[in-house]
Amino acid sequence: MIRTIEWNGDAVVMLDQRRLPAEEVYVTCRDYREVAEAIRTMVIRGAPAIGVAAAMGVALGMRQADPSRLDEEFEEVCRTLAATRPTAVNLFWAIERMRRVYQSARGITLGNIQATLLETALKMWEEDIQVNQLIGWNGAELLASGMTVLTHCNAGALATAGYGTALGVVRAAVAAGKKIEVFADETRPFLQGARLTAWELMKDGIPVTIITDNMAGHFLKSGRIGCVIVGADRITANGDVANKIGTYSLAVLARENQVPFYVAAPISTIDLSLASGEEIPIEERPAEEVTHVFGVRIAPEGVAVRNPAFDVTPHRYVTAIITERGVARPPYAESLAQLAG
Ligand code: MRU
């Protein structure tokens, strides 16, 4: 199994996703600030993986906290980790879960608080893999043998503690004996599709073909694609879905061509506190990600750039949302409340 993130006994170790597929190197984060920096700079990325990293970051931070000002340090650790990436709700979900554990552990010895926090973070790592396997199991039923699945970004093992959400559905279908092929959008500007989705599917021997993002319409129209499956960074109460920039265009193209558009995500990605996608904060990333490719400038110096990392797909384009508790169908206001409430 791909080792996206691990606890090595006294530090958090992450596979450096900025350097894949050329190099398979690991980054060791020895304090919570290094964990926050790794999330911000996308050493680790993907909503569920970001959540697990943040939980481990909190546990690491509290192992090194000054015992005389524990509460203040806890808040400082949470604040630093929460300030890294605003869109993926799993980050805040994980921090909140750690906060509840910290608050209920107050009053026991410092050593026990630290042990409980670490135990919780490790449990979240383990649960994430189990949840993804259930998502895969639930989603596999939607795939027929011989189907080609189009995906965007990387919602695979690398985006989670393991197995993946969208790619978990593909893995489960393949494990059930179905013949499945994947088309992967390269996913400008960070190239998660070309670099990460292609790398992890090839490692598993699952047939994968890379296309550039602007080829998706052509292949959806050609009849070559059986369905689209993507992950999510946040799903609001009405079923609107924030995911990697370009997902919205794919959803519209899928609808135009009567191709089912599925979203695979854990319950922890559903944010019932927001009524619609308009309320989701969209991260804007540095211009250099657009103007440069691997350090080489491709756009004129001084040009204006926009780089929103995510877009919101309105729920009307979403055929179904695959979770570990079952498959939600429209109307999402009811089905999601039932699954996640
Ligand atoms: O910017 P990233 O690489 O963190 O964006 C990742 C995505 O958009 C994924 O599709 C999403 O987080 C789901 S991962 C299971």
Side-chain angles (χ1 to χ4, degrees), residues 131-270:
V131 158
N132 293 335
Q133 285 166 340
L134 287 170
I135 291 172
W137 179 265
N138 290 337
E141 291 185 13
L142 302 168
L143 304 191
S145 194
M147 221 182 216
T148 297
V149 173
L150 174 61
T151 192
H152 190 66
C153 193
N154 172 269
L158 289 167
T160 61
Y163 204 73
T165 56
L167 298 190
V169 172
V170 170
R171 285 196 167 93
V174 170
K178 295 181 188 175
K179 201 173 148 289
I180 304 292
E181 264 188 60
V182 175
F183 267 41
D185 283 350
E186 68 173 353
T187 318
R188 276 278 289 154
F190 207 69
L191 304 176
Q192 290 95 329
R195 298 187 304 104
L196 310 178
T197 295
W199 181 79
E200 71 165 85
L201 289 178
M202 286 176 81
K203 247 182 176 323
D204 272 9
I206 297 174
V208 55
T209 300
I210 296 172
I211 58 171
T212 63
D213 301 349
N214 50 359
M215 295 174 189
H218 169 76
F219 285 107
L220 282 161
K221 184 156 156 277
S222 74
R224 181 75 176 79
I225 307 296
C227 72
V228 178
I229 313 182
V230 296
D233 280 76
R234 198 184 292 231
I235 301 171
T236 53
N238 67 344
D240 290 351
V241 175
N243 191 49
K244 179 53 54 195
I245 191 79
T247 302
Y248 169 49
S249 324
L250 259 196
V252 174
L253 286 165
R255 169 59 54 86
E256 166 71 12
N257 293 285
Q258 289 95 49
V259 174
F261 181 88
Y262 299 122
V263 175
I267 295 290
S268 53
T269 300
I270 299 171

